[in-house]
Each structure stands twice: as C-alpha cells, then as structure tokens.
Amino acid sequence: MPEDVSMTRVRLDADLCEGHALCIQLAPEVFDLSDDEVASAAQADGQWDQGTWDNVKSAVDACPRQAISLLNISTKGL
C-alpha cells in the first residue's frame, strides 16, 4: 500500500510578479530576482526548516500582487 506523503510547494506566478522584491527581503534563501526583475522560488518540497517556512509564509502575505502561493500536494494513492 502506498505511503501518504504530503508536500508543500511554493508557487510563484511570474505574470503577476512586478519585482517589488519583498519576498527576497523576507526569505532570501528561497527567492531570487531575475535580470528582468521577476522573482523565482527554489523548490525544496518541504525540506526547509521551520524558520525558513515562516519566512516563506511572511513573503506570501507581503506580496502586493499576491503572486506567491503555497500548494499542498498529497501523494496518497499514487
């Protein structure tokens, strides 16, 4: 029987991002800004420590365009 594994992933919508870089200020270990001033997020699939996740959640809340979201993915039954 497959094990139920849940992962949280960071989703960043590049079409919404305006390069305010608040996410980078709050979680520089996760977010980066490209040359064209669009943020991107590293994917750790739940491997960050609690402090990093707290910073990511703060970045989600701080984004003025709501371009960042967290997705909970379950592998139950796969």
Side-chain angles (χ1 to χ4, degrees), residues 10-37:
V10 178
R11 180 179 177 278
L12 201 143
D13 186 333
D15 292 330
L16 289 177
C17 179
E18 293 180 341
H20 294 277
L22 296 174
C23 57
I24 296 166
Q25 292 174 20
L26 293 166
E29 65 276 23
V30 175
F31 298 98
D32 195 15
L33 199 61
S34 68
D35 291 339
D36 56 350
E37 297 187 2

Side-chain angles (χ1 to χ4, degrees), residues 1-63:
M1 182 166 186
E3 183 179 336
D4 181 14
V5 177
S6 294
M7 296 183 287
T8 301
R9 299 199 67 177
V10 178
R11 180 179 177 278
L12 201 143
D13 186 333
D15 292 330
L16 289 177
C17 179
E18 293 180 341
H20 294 277
L22 296 174
C23 57
I24 296 166
Q25 292 174 20
L26 293 166
E29 65 276 23
V30 175
F31 298 98
D32 195 15
L33 199 61
S34 68
D35 291 339
D36 56 350
E37 297 187 2
V38 174
S40 62
Q43 295 301 328
D45 293 330
Q47 301 303 313
W48 293 315
D49 63 31
Q50 188 59 48
T52 301
W53 278 113
D54 290 343
N55 292 343
V56 169
K57 290 174 187 173
S58 294
V60 170
D61 293 339
C63 182

